[in-house]
Amino acid sequence: MEGFASSSSSLTVGLCLLLLLNASSSSHGARLFDASSSSSPTKYSQRNGLALTPPMGWNSWNHFGCNINEDLIKQTADAMVSKGLSSLGYQYINIDDCWGEPTRDSEGNLVAKSSTFPLGIKALADYVHSQGLKLGIYSDAGTQTCSKRQPGSLGHEDHDAKTFASWGIDYLKYDNCEDTHGLSPKKRYPIMSEALLKSGRPILFSLCEWGVENPATWASTIGNSWRTTGDISDNWNSMTSRADENDKWASFAGPGGWNDPDMLEVGNGGMTTEEYKAHFSIWALVKAPLLIGCDIRTMDSAAHGILSNKEVIAVNQDKLGVQGKKVRSENDLEVWAGPLSGHKVAVILWNRSSSKATVTASWSDIGLKADTVVNARDLWTHSTISSVSGEISAELESHACKMYVLTPHS
């Protein structure tokens, strides 16, 4: 389609090469790989078969930080099912930092914190699996995690990967704190990548090196998603800046490997309902992982309505897997768009200005031929405008958006 890179080129442009062992360069005794040193690029998803569409689920960090325990995780799994979110594709229940004891046991194992996870992670995984969901966990490519409350996995990658597999873990978020040896993420992250593949269990690998070494250009051979930004906060400026930072890497995302502008803040209270709609719309269009970051047990109806919008989710989960991008911006009036399967186009009209304004997307902006006639499906009002030609416009309140799927007439 005009105006967009093809799905095949978006999967291959700039991808780095497979990993070579570099044992001699380690100052801590661990094996080191260099993500840019091999000659046969193979997408990580071809090796573990995961994340062919962006992962969907929940993560504990944005709302709870270190205040987590096994009852919270169980109750969140229960709520994911009872509130109908699991049936929409949300499947991962991800424990973030602060789940472990401050030291390993006598055999070198990571240990769940006895005061907050007394039954251990294996029992918790069994419970989450019994609900038809998957359990994720957190570790770090350094000597400690970012909270400094538990050990990282640097130098223990094989051991920890086998531990996670034995517990029934399905997803690993791997952070980038406490690299006391000053090693590039390109050397540290591939070690855990390979360890997970050898663990005996398919485990989705989510790199969280905050975009410091442009992981979009090399991480598709290492993992299933990679953070392109620093941490998000629950406010308008943080959310919009993460969207902009992530946008420039659009051509590197595709089935099995996704750009990650960080987790969702919808429902945490720092933005308006319209701002949260824009947040969710943009994350869906750019094929970001949809990881809920609020307390889904107590979220209000507005947050639930946003997070459970089937039509917006369908854009995120579209099988073509091409990341949408910003195609027009003038005076904080923006058009974002991307191709979908079936020759459809997803379009967001976004008013980022401080006053009401009309935003217009012309067909030339979004890759449609000038004479194309479409039906425009409004994904938030769930209504259809028939036989639209040339352009589509909407008058929008400050910080509000409209999201459409355009279906050309045959």
Side-chain angles (χ1 to χ4, degrees):
M1 181 173 294
E2 296 175 13
F4 299 105
S6 69
S7 59
S8 60
S9 64
S10 68
L11 299 182
T12 59
V13 174
L15 294 182
C16 285
L17 306 175
L18 249 182
L19 318 173
L20 283 177
L21 183 62
N22 182 9
S24 62
S25 63
S26 173
S27 59
H28 62 281
R31 293 169 296 109
L32 291 182
F33 294 82
D34 188 335
S36 61
S37 65
S38 175
S39 58
S40 177
T42 300
K43 283 180 66 69
Y44 194 67
S45 61
Q46 292 178 275
R47 305 175 73 189
N48 72 1
L50 300 175
L52 299 184
T53 59
M56 297 175 61
W58 172 88
N59 179 284
S60 60
W61 185 256
N62 282 4
H63 189 86
F64 294 98
C66 282
N67 298 315
I68 57 174
N69 57 59
E70 65 185 28
D71 287 339
L72 166 65
I73 304 305
K74 288 181 178 180
Q75 291 166 13
T76 299
D78 293 343
M80 191 73 90
V81 175
S82 66
K83 294 179 182 290
L85 295 171
S86 62
S87 65
L88 298 176
Y90 295 98
Q91 59 177 331
Y92 291 101
I93 304 294
N94 293 344
I95 308 168
D96 210 281
D97 202 354
C98 307
W99 59 266
E101 294 285 6
T103 59
R104 296 173 180 268
D105 68 14
S106 60
E107 296 181 350
N109 298 308
L110 295 172
V111 181
K113 192 173 182 180
S114 61
S115 61
T116 50
F117 294 88
L119 298 181
I121 304 300
K122 175 65 167 66
L124 190 54
D126 290 344
Y127 183 86
V128 170
H129 292 157
S130 75
Q131 299 296 89
L133 301 169
K134 298 179 178 180
L135 186 69
I137 206 153
Y138 167 99
S139 191
D140 189 279
T143 55
Q144 290 181 298
T145 63
C146 292
S147 70
K148 299 184 181 181
R149 298 189 184 190
Q150 64 186 72
S153 291
L154 186 65
H156 300 267
E157 291 87 350
D158 284 339
H159 193 109
D160 291 353
K162 290 176 182 176
T163 297
F164 298 149
S166 72
W167 288 344
I169 293 299
D170 304 292
Y171 184 118
L172 175 64
K173 176 184 174 181
Y174 204 47
D175 222 332
N176 194 29
C177 289
E178 300 303 307
D179 169 29
T180 58
H181 302 290
L183 300 171
S184 165
K186 292 180 182 179
K187 292 185 178 293
R188 287 179 285 117
Y189 277 78
I191 310 171
M192 180 57 82
S193 171
E194 291 294 318
L196 293 174
L197 291 174
K198 295 188 298 183
S199 71
R201 182 177 181 84
I203 298 176
L204 191 153
F205 189 31
S206 172
L207 286 72
C208 185
E209 61 90 269
W210 322 314
V212 296
E213 289 197 14
N214 301 334
T217 64
W218 51 267
S220 69
T221 62
I222 310 302
N224 300 108
S225 68
W226 43 87
R227 280 278 295 281
T228 54
T229 72
D231 289 356
I232 196 171
S233 298
D234 185 22
N235 61 74
W236 170 257
N237 288 335
S238 177
M239 182 271 287
T240 54
S241 66
R242 299 304 174 268
D244 291 341
E245 291 164 21
N246 184 70
D247 181 52
K248 64 184 176 182
W249 304 112
S251 64
F252 294 94
W258 308 102
N259 291 320
D260 179 6
D262 207 6
M263 299 169 288
L264 294 164
E265 292 284 6
V266 176
N268 279 328
M271 288 182 262
T272 68
T273 296
E274 288 304 315
E275 289 170 344
Y276 280 140
K277 282 184 179 179
H279 179 18
F280 193 65
S281 297
I282 293 292
W283 262 237
L285 180 83
V286 304
K287 306 301 189 289
L290 297 181
L291 297 176
I292 298 170
C294 69
D295 186 348
I296 64 175
R297 304 171 303 172
T298 60
M299 65 181 173
D300 61 23
S301 59
H304 183 269
I306 292 169
L307 295 168
S308 62
N309 187 319
K310 294 180 181 179
E311 295 189 79
V312 176
I313 291 170
V315 170
N316 179 260
Q317 296 292 297
D318 182 74
K319 301 301 184 183
L320 188 62
V322 175
Q323 178 174 322
K325 56 188 177 182
K326 186 187 303 190
V327 298
R328 184 177 178 84
S329 180
E330 185 175 358
N331 299 322
D332 290 326
L333 307 181
E334 297 188 351
V335 178
W336 294 60
L340 303 175
S341 54
H343 305 290
K344 298 178 182 180
V345 179
V347 179
I348 295 174
L349 309 179
W350 195 9
N351 177 11
R352 287 169 58 163
S353 76
S354 58
S355 58
K356 183 185 292 187
T358 297
V359 182
T360 300
S362 66
W363 280 190
S364 60
D365 293 329
I366 61 177
L368 290 175
K369 294 180 179 180
D371 60 353
T372 302
V373 179
V374 305
N375 291 339
R377 178 69 174 176
D378 186 324
L379 305 192
W380 287 107
T381 64
H382 305 295
S383 60
T384 301
I385 309 169
S386 300
S387 300
V388 182
S389 59
E391 64 181 28
I392 188 164
S393 297
E395 186 178 48
L396 300 170
E397 297 292 338
S398 173
H399 294 186
C401 78
K402 281 281 191 180
M403 188 173 189
Y404 301 98
V405 168
L406 308 183
T407 302
H409 289 190
S410 58

